[in-house]
Every structure is written in C-alpha cells, then in structure tokens.
Amino acid sequence: GTQKTDQYIINTISNPEFGYYVVGLISNADLNHYANRLNPLIFVITSICISLILVLGYMSTKRLLGRIFTINRTLVEIEHGNLNARADVPGSNDEIKQIATNLNHMSEKLQEYIQKEYTIQLERTNAELKQKTAELYALQTQIDPHFLYNTL
C-alpha cells in the first residue's frame, strides 16, 4: 500500500507468487519539485486546449448559423412572392442541407401549382369568352333577319 511520512511517500507492492516486495520511495521535496516544474506546462497545454475549443466552437457555430441564415433569407424571399428563390447551402448532406433541398423542392412544386392554376384559369376565361362570343353571334344572327324583315 501507500504510506506517507513527513519526508517520504512509500509505496509497497507484494508479489505472493515469488514472495518478494517492491518498495518505492520518493521524498516529498522531490515530488513537489517535479510537480512544480510540470505546473507551467500543464497550464500552457490547458490554455492551448481551451483556446482551440473556443476557436473551433466559434468557427463551427458561424458556419452553422450562416447556413441557417441562408435558408431564412430564402424563406423571406418566398414569403414576398419570389418563388424562383432557392437556398444554396454548401456543405455535407446533413439535416440543414436536407431542409434546404426540401425548401427548394417545395418552392418548385408551389410555382408549378400556381402556373398550372393560372393556365387553367386562363383556359376557363378563354372558354367563357368564346361562349359569350358565340351567344352574341347567335343573338346577332337572330336580330338581323328580323330587322331586315321589319325594315322591308
């Protein structure tokens, strides 16, 4: 086991198979000396690791927010009636890329639906106009013989 005295730390390990003991002895002064030499190195390594974590966290958050803002700007354009707006999100095929792809697909489908409805409405209006023209022509052909007969 480990025993502490005022000046030393003593570690002992027994090996029952061979019947011997291994004893380690280190003075507290030496231990403190080595620990004091390692403290600045540990501080520097810890500072570097924390700095790297902060920088990498900032960069990944900035990249992520940039992609989300791109989608948000596209949504605002679509809201204002620009159905040709597309969200071009760079990067890997992750959830944000899938959201952008689905938004683009939805915008295309919405544009196709509106174009289809507009075409159908034009055809319907055109058919009604032709029907009104035919009715007017029929009335006109009915009036002309009667008017001529009365005039004669």
Side-chain angles (χ1 to χ4, degrees):
T2 302
Q3 296 178 352
K4 295 181 181 180
T5 65
D6 289 340
Q7 296 178 357
Y8 295 101
I9 297 177
I10 304 168
N11 260 340
T12 57
I13 299 174
S14 66
N15 187 339
E17 184 178 339
F18 296 109
Y20 66 87
Y21 290 93
V22 176
V23 178
L25 178 72
I26 186 165
S27 70
N28 288 331
D30 287 341
L31 186 62
N32 288 335
H33 173 72
Y34 292 127
N36 288 337
R37 286 181 55 198
L38 286 177
N39 282 343
L41 180 63
I42 292 171
F43 177 75
V44 168
I45 290 173
T46 304
S47 299
I48 290 171
C49 288
I50 290 173
S51 299
L52 280 174
I53 289 170
L54 291 175
V55 167
L56 292 175
Y58 173 77
M59 289 172 50
S60 65
T61 302
K62 184 177 177 182
R63 182 175 176 264
L64 179 69
L65 286 178
R67 297 170 73 201
I68 291 173
F69 286 147
T70 300
I71 293 172
N72 194 31
R73 278 191 301 272
T74 305
L75 283 172
V76 169
E77 286 185 41
I78 291 172
E79 179 183 3
H80 287 105
N82 181 9
L83 295 177
N84 292 323
R86 298 293 181 263
D88 184 29
V89 176
S92 62
N93 193 14
D94 58 355
E95 290 83 5
I96 295 176
K97 182 81 168 188
Q98 290 174 359
I99 289 171
T101 303
N102 290 335
L103 174 66
N104 292 340
H105 185 68
M106 180 195 70
S107 180
E108 287 174 21
K109 290 293 184 184
L110 188 59
Q111 190 173 18
E112 288 173 11
Y113 176 74
I114 290 173
Q115 186 66 34
K116 185 177 170 183
E117 285 297 314
Y118 180 71
T119 304
I120 290 172
Q121 185 67 29
L122 279 178
E123 289 172 358
R124 188 177 302 136
T125 305
N126 193 16
E128 288 174 2
L129 185 62
K130 285 181 181 180
Q131 183 180 1
K132 295 283 185 186
T133 305
E135 289 174 3
L136 185 62
Y137 182 72
L139 285 174
Q140 197 175 27
T141 56
Q142 288 175 358
I143 292 174
D144 285 341
H146 182 69
F147 180 72
L148 286 176
Y149 179 75
N150 285 342
T151 305
L152 291 175

